[in-house]
């Protein structure tokens, strides 16, 4: 893809503007192709006094940024400021006055319509892209996207202040409505206490009061509002409550005898257990005696075993007969052999057959079961007596394992039957009582429901007032929470925007280099990156000292904005070239110098000229420039600058063009009071300035080494004086000759080199003519008198002075030399810097 759109598409020739002061469509052919075949016009200089429509042109161009129609999506919304005419022609509408601009092209109609982007430097650009914000003693400088972000931050902060004010009002409203809601709630609560709570307490037979909680209020509120008569409903409810209270207490009884239903009440095999006897042991001697005694006196046998097993006494404590050791051992062996495992097993079985008495008393049964509880108590006592008799028989049997024990089980069976019968009667009476209580419980529930219905009707007005208070309170709190949420969201947006602003890249180094060039002093005005707890930001310094916005002149502000603008142009050009784009870039400068301080105009001219030269020499050829000015002096200076730029650009590109060919590459226009525009020739802006005429006259006298005409020497000194005074005044605001300012600037530019040019009293030797008499000059005896200065010395001094001025402002001096002489002039001036001043001009 070519980087020159004209090779593959129609060529941009200008724009047609309609709106505001241009009631009819007006065509501005800024870039109409010249007659020769050198590349199409790339520069346009427009002069017009205030009110002729110059600002309208720049405003229209500033809003125009047309992309190829093929790149636009069908479903994209149409921008209100960038739209298409009914015929599909790209155009732009700006502001309320329907300002419309349409590009014009020339070339083959079958070629594609080129894409166009515009970058416009005017007062609106400065306001929108450069902002100086005071921060204590410092000035924070914001550029481009940062300005837009800063505007958004300020808008958010203003919104925060507005929302915070609204929140204060909402807080006050909520506080007042809280009081109203509490009052309405208390009124409703008191109404329910005097009616609903008292009736409910009566229904439930509670001695303590029934609390009226918010949950209870919500429950009563949920009851459907009845249309019945309140007095009739209340009278009926009170009557039903009195009737209900005449019924027995509805508390459920405790079935505390329920464990007896699984209790073992019968005794089986009791007689067999007591009548069953063990077979006594047999033998002779002591063994036979032990066997006989076990049948009738077993307990004594066991006692004897215990006595003789653990004692060595010599007589029997029961019969008082003497006992020796052999007899004792024989007795113990006989008893041990008789008391075997069968006896132990029988003893354990008898002990296990014992039965526990029932400790539960009939007095523990609910009194509402009446006589059945008393009958249970009688049966229980009878059952316990039989159990006690059985347990005593078991103890007797354990001591009579070899003899039967008598037991009559009929009485036990009778006691068990009576107790079982009373338990069954208890269960039956309990069920009957439950049915009665259940019916009463349902009545209690019905009465409580009726109480809610009557209470809802009774407190109808109190509920209405409370509901309204709650509703107003809910709405106020929602608004309050929404405002708090809005503040939080806005604060988050501010934090995000601040972080976004800190991430915006600024070419601070490039800007500072340009400022140093414009002011001819490093640090005269510069940006300094400052990082603290609040983040990173650029501060403005004047020779290292903080500069507040109040001390920043309009001219200085505009210089900073202009430098930033050119960094943006350079970036766009680089991007377009890198992307190999097919798009025209139109740059517009609307009065870039007129509002600049007078003592900085030359530096601005030099800066603009150097940047235009960079852009014109850029490999991206689809670059167009339009300069608008209401100041004729500025327009003249730009005319010379553009001549110089085109001359240098053509030279660097290898074209061999004469001055007429070069000047034909940019057009000059003038806006008249009727808003019409007309093309003018290169001399119509007012011709050469006297400054340029004098400088060129001096140059032609001293450029060659021929013997000088003495008649010319008589005017050379005076011409040089006037040029030197104008140079010093216009650039450095110092009209005095000799000028210490020039000497100091020379030292600064040449890193401390002292000038060999005599700008002191001796300089006056060359400033004779109409302003100075020869007699005054010859009176300076310590310089050897007038006759002591030869024409060759005068020639060298003038060349030194021109080389001196070239060292300080090379672009300015060359721009004021006639176009045909510039190549030779620059070569000679460089050689004079090296030969006469002793330094290489190229390094400065």
């Amino acid at each position: 893809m070519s980087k020159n759109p004209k090779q593959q598409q129609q060529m941009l020739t200008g724009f047609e503007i309609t709106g505001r002061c241009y009631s009819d469509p007006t065509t501005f052919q800024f870039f109409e192709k010249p007659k020769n075949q050198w590349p199409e016009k790339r520069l346009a200089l427009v002069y017009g006094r205030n009110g002729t429509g110059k600002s309208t042109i720049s405003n229209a161009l500033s809003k125009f940024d047309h992309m190829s129609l093929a790149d636009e999506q069908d479903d994209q919304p149409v921008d209100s400021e960038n739209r298409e005419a009914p015929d599909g022609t790209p155009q732009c509408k700006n502001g309320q006055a329907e300002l419309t601009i349409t590009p014009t092209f020339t070339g083959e109609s079958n070629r594609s319509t080129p894409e166009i982007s515009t970058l416009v430097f005017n007062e609106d650009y400065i306001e929108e892209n450069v902002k100086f914000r005071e921060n204590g003693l410092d000035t924070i400088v914001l550029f481009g996207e940062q300005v837009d972000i800063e505007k958004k931050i300020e808008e958010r902060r203003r919104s925060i202040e507005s929302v915070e004010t609204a929140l204060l009002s909402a807080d006050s409203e909520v506080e007042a409505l809280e009081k109203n809601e509490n009052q309405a709630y208390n009124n409703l609560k008191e109404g329910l206490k005097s009616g609903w709570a008292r009736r409910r307490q009566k229904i439930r037979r509670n001695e303590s009061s029934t609390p009226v909680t918010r949950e209870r209020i919500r429950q009563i509120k949920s009851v459907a509002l009845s249309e019945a008569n309140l007095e009739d409903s209340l009278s009926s409810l009170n009557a039903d409550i009195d009737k209900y209270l005449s019924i027995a207490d509805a508390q459920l009884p405790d079935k505390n005898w329920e464990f007896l239903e699984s209790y073992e009440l019968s005794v089986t095999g009791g007689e067999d257990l007591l009548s069953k006897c063990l077979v006594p042991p047999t033998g002779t001697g002591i063994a036979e005696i032990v066997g006989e005694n076990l049948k009738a006196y077993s307990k004594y046998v066991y006692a004897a075993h215990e006595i003789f097993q653990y004692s060595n006494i010599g007589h029997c404590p029961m019969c008082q007969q003497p006992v020796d050791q052999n007899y004792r051992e024989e007795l113990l062996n006989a008893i041990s052999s008789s008391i075997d495992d069968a006896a132990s097993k029988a003893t354990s079985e008898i002990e296990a057959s014992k039965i526990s008495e029932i400790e539960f008393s009939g007095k523990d049964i609910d009194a509402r079961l009446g006589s059945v509880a008393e009958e249970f108590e009688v049966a229980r006592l009878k059952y316990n007596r039989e159990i006690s008799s059985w347990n005593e028989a078991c103890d007797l049997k354990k001591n009579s394992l070899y003899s039967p024990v008598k037991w009559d089980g009929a009485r036990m069976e009778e006691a068990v039957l009576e107790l079982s019968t009373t338990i069954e009667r208890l269960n039956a009476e309990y069920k009957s009582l439950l049915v009665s209580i259940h019916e009463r419980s349902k009545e209690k529930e019905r009465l409580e429901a009726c109480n809610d219905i009557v209470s809802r009707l009774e407190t109808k007005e109190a509920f209405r007032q409370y509901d309204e208070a709650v509703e107003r309170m809910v709405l106020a709190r929602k608004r309050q929470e929404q405002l708090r949420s809005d503040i939080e969201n806005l604060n988050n947006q501010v934090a995000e925007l601040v972080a976004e602003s800190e991430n915006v890249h600024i070419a601070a180094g490039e800007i500072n280099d340009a400022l140093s060039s414009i002011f001819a002093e490093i640090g005269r005005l510069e940006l300094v990156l400052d990082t603290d707890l609040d983040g990173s930001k650029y501060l403005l310094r004047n020779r290292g000292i903080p500069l507040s916005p109040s001390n920043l002149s309009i001219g200085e502000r505009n210089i900073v904005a202009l430098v930033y603008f050119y960094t943006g142009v350079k970036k766009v050009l680089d991007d377009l070239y890198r992307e190999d784009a097919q798009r025209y870039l139109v740059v517009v400068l609307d009065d870039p110098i007129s509002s600049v301080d007078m003592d900085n105009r030359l530096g601005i001219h030099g800066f603009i000229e150097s940047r235009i030269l960079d852009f014109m020499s850029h490999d991206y050829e689809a670059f167009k420039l339009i300069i608008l000015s209401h100041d004729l002096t500025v327009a003249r200076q730009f005319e010379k600058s553009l001549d110089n730029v085109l001359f240098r650009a053509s030279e660097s590109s290898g074209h061999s063009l004469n001055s007429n060919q070069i000047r034909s590459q940019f057009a000059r226009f003038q806006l008249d009071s009727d808003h019409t525009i007309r093309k003018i020739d290169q001399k119509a802006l007012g011709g050469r300035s006297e400054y340029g005429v004098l400088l060129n006259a001096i140059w032609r006298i001293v450029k060659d080494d021929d013997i000088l005409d003495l008649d010319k020497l008589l005017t050379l000194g005076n011409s040089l004086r006037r040029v030197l005074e104008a140079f010093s005044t216009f650039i450095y605001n110092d009209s005095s000759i000799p000028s210490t300012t020039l000497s100091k600037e020379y030292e600064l530019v040449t890193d401390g080199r002292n000038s060999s040019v005599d700008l002191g009293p001796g300089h006056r030797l060359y400033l004779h003519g109409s302003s100075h008499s020869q007699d005054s000059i010859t009176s300076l005896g310590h310089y050897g008198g007038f006759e002591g200065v030869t024409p060759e010395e005068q020639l060298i001094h003038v060349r030194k002075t021109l080389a001196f001025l070239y060292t300080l402002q090379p672009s300015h001096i060359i721009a004021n030399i006639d176009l045909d002489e510039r190549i030779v002039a620059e070569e000679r001036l460089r050689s004079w810097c090296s030969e006469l001043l002793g330094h290489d001009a190229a390094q400065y």
Side-chain angles (χ1 to χ4, degrees), residues 499-513:
E500 184 179 350
S501 176
E502 293 175 358
N503 291 329
V504 175
H505 175 70
I506 303 298
E510 188 175 343
I511 291 175
N512 285 334
D513 289 343

Side-chain angles (χ1 to χ4, degrees), residues 633-695:
T633 303
V634 172
R636 290 170 178 170
Q637 185 65 32
F638 269 124
E639 183 181 25
K640 290 186 292 184
S641 297
L642 295 178
D643 271 344
N644 185 49
V645 166
L646 286 171
F647 171 77
R648 289 170 175 266
S650 66
E651 182 183 19
S652 64
S653 64
H655 292 87
S656 178
L657 304 173
N658 58 39
S659 60
N660 289 328
Q661 289 175 320
I662 290 173
R663 285 172 178 162
S664 68
Q665 302 314 305
F666 84 87
R668 302 159 181 81
F669 300 91
Q670 181 167 329
L671 291 168
D672 294 329
S673 58
D674 61 354
H675 312 304
T676 59
I677 187 169
R678 57 189 172 89
K679 188 174 181 180
I680 58 178
D681 60 29
Q682 63 189 49
K683 296 182 179 180
L685 290 177
R688 304 286 299 279
S689 66
E690 182 184 15
Y691 177 78
V693 172
L694 290 174
L695 185 59

Side-chain angles (χ1 to χ4, degrees), residues 244 250 436-446:
Y244 165 77
S436 175
I437 290 175
H438 179 69
E439 292 297 326
R440 189 177 184 281
S441 176
K442 289 197 301 183
E443 178 63 10
K444 171 178 170 293
E445 292 176 1
R446 187 188 74 81

